[in-house]
Amino acid sequence: MRKLVTKISIVLALLFAVDVLAGIALDWLRDHSPDGRYYKTKYSLESCKEDVVVIGSSRGEINYVSQIIEDSLGMSCWNAGRGGQGTPYFKAIQEGILTRYAPKVVILNVDDNDLETPPNYEHAGVLRPFYHSCAAIRPVLDKTSTFEWLLMKSRLYAYNSSFYYLIRPYFVEGLDGKTSDKGWKPRLDKMTAEFDGTLQPEPARTNLDTASVALFESIVTKLKEKGCRIFFVVSPNYGRTVSASSAIEYLKQSSAKNDIPLFIYSNDTSFITKPEYFVDPDHLNVDGARLFTQRLVEQIKPYTNTNNQHLSNDEKVFEVH
C-alpha cells in the first residue's frame, strides 16, 4: 500500500509539474502574440486606454472601423468586439476596462435578436487564459460551470481548445486584423448575390430572456455610473428588414429611460438591399464597414458635444429606411 501511495504521489507531482511548466510556456505565447485574438483580448482587458471603445460580437468587430471613428471624432478608438460572443463576454470586457479607466464613449453594438436567449457563459470561456491575470473577469467566468473556480487551478484547462488560435499568429499574420487596425477585423470579400427587390418579412417576435436583459442592464448601469457616454447601435443585415423585434423595442425603452441615443440600421435600405456591401448576410465587407462607420459617426458627432446632450427622446432614436 505504501508503494502504491508513493507511485500515485509521484504521478500527481509529475502531472502538476507538467501543468505548471506548460502554463508558463502558454502564458508566454499569449503575452508575446504579435496579433490575433489573444493579443486583442489582452489589450482590451489590460492595456487599452482609448477615448472610444466599441463592444459587440462579430458585427461589432467587423462593422466598425476604428480609424474612421478616430479621424471623425478627434478621439482615439479601440474596437474590443469579438465574434461569436454575447452579453457575458461584453460584461467581462467591460469589467476589465473599467477597473483601469472609464472611456469617454462606448458604442454597444446590439444584434436585432439579442437578449432573446439565456446568456451563454460558456462562450465567454475564451477568456479563461486571463482568469488569473485579470481578477475583474472571474465572476463572469465562474458562471461557466459549477466547479470552474477549481478547474481553473489547471493552466492546461485554461487553454483547452485554444491552442490553434494561440499559435496561429506566429505563423500567419493579420487573419484577425492587423494591430494597426486597432481592433477592427476587415473582411475583403463581396457577396455575389443580386438583390431581387424582395426583402425577407419581419421575423416573428420572440420573448426577451430575463437573465440576458438583467445582465445587459448591469452593463449599461455600470457604464453610466462611470460617466461613459453610451450609444446603442443595431447593425444592418443583407436581405432582411427588422424594425420591431423584442430586442429593438427593449432598446427603445432603455434609450428613453437612460438617455442613451439609439441608432437602428436593421431596416436601412441603403445597406440591406446592397449585396456589394456585405461579405455574407450578417457582416459588412470593407467597403460596407467604411460607409457604415462614416454614417454612424456623423450621427454620433453631435452627442459628443456637451452642448447637445439634452435632446428629446424622439431625437435620440434613429431608424433609417
Side-chain angles (χ1 to χ4, degrees):
M1 177 63 71
R2 183 177 299 174
K3 289 183 179 180
L4 178 61
V5 171
T6 300
K7 290 180 180 179
I8 292 175
S9 300
I10 292 173
V11 170
L12 292 176
L14 288 172
L15 290 174
F16 176 77
V18 168
D19 187 80
V20 170
L21 292 174
I24 292 172
L26 293 169
D27 285 348
W28 188 93
L29 290 171
R30 176 200 67 189
D31 293 339
H32 293 82
S33 182
D35 61 35
R37 299 188 179 190
Y38 285 97
Y39 167 87
K40 181 176 183 179
T41 302
K42 180 177 176 63
Y43 186 82
S44 297
L45 289 174
E46 302 176 3
S47 302
C48 78
K49 56 183 183 298
E50 282 76 6
D51 300 321
V52 182
V53 173
V54 178
I55 298 177
S57 58
S58 57
R59 292 178 182 86
E61 184 175 35
I62 293 170
N63 293 356
Y64 297 79
V65 185
S66 301
Q67 192 61 57
I68 292 176
I69 294 173
E70 289 193 347
D71 295 341
S72 299
L73 296 183
M75 291 188 269
S76 57
C77 177
W78 174 251
N79 188 326
R82 174 71 180 267
Q85 295 299 329
T87 46
Y89 183 88
F90 306 160
K91 178 66 174 177
I93 290 294
Q94 176 216 48
E95 292 293 343
I97 290 174
L98 294 184
T99 298
R100 298 180 292 101
Y101 84 111
K104 295 178 182 178
V105 172
V106 174
I107 299 173
L108 281 174
N109 184 86
V110 187
D111 295 344
D112 57 54
N113 59 353
D114 269 354
L115 312 178
E116 297 171 0
T117 56
N120 193 325
Y121 285 94
E122 180 55 37
H123 282 182
V126 297
L127 295 170
R128 287 186 178 111
F130 302 93
Y131 185 91
H132 296 288
S133 62
C134 186
I137 69 174
R138 293 174 195 169
V140 174
L141 291 179
D142 283 343
K143 294 182 180 181
T144 59
S145 67
T146 303
F147 297 103
E148 191 69 18
W149 63 272
L150 180 60
L151 294 170
M152 285 304 306
K153 302 295 183 183
S154 167
R155 299 303 292 147
L156 284 173
Y157 171 78
Y159 285 94
N160 183 35
S161 303
S162 302
F163 303 113
Y164 170 72
Y165 294 109
L166 183 66
I167 296 172
R168 186 175 72 177
Y170 288 94
F171 297 94
V172 184
E173 181 182 357
L175 285 182
D176 291 305
K178 299 177 181 178
T179 56
S180 59
D181 290 325
K182 303 177 181 181
W184 174 46
K185 183 177 179 178
R187 299 289 297 275
L188 298 173
D189 297 337
K190 293 184 180 181
M191 291 184 63
T192 57
E194 292 186 7
F195 182 63
D196 62 4
T198 303
L199 291 169
Q200 294 180 24
E202 185 91 11
R205 287 279 191 96
T206 302
N207 292 332
L208 295 172
D209 179 81
T210 54
S212 283
V213 171
L215 184 58
F216 184 81
E217 289 182 348
S218 74
I219 294 172
V220 172
T221 298
K222 190 156 189 179
L223 289 173
K224 284 177 63 67
E225 289 174 350
K226 293 292 185 176
C228 303
R229 185 55 168 161
I230 310 168
F231 297 97
F232 295 151
V233 184
V234 182
S235 292
N237 296 290
Y238 172 69
R240 67 184 180 96
T241 178
V242 183
S243 59
S245 68
S246 295
I248 289 177
E249 291 304 311
Y250 163 79
L251 289 174
K252 290 178 181 179
Q253 296 171 14
S254 182
S255 171
K257 175 183 176 182
N258 294 293
D259 190 33
I260 297 173
L262 165 64
F263 303 94
I264 302 171
Y265 285 85
S266 54
N267 55 359
D268 182 354
T269 53
S270 67
F271 284 102
I272 64 177
T273 63
K274 302 294 194 307
E276 63 270 23
Y277 290 153
F278 289 82
V279 67
D280 59 47
D282 298 325
H283 305 97
L284 296 168
N285 58 29
V286 169
D287 294 336
R290 287 173 175 158
L291 179 60
F292 170 76
T293 305
Q294 288 168 352
R295 291 188 181 179
L296 175 65
V297 170
E298 287 305 311
Q299 291 184 298
I300 283 177
K301 192 178 294 184
Y303 296 94
T304 61
N305 184 335
T306 55
N307 294 325
N308 293 323
Q309 297 292 312
H310 302 291
L311 301 180
S312 69
N313 289 332
D314 289 340
E315 293 176 294
K316 291 180 179 177
V317 178
F318 295 83
E319 295 185 73
V320 187
H321 301 279

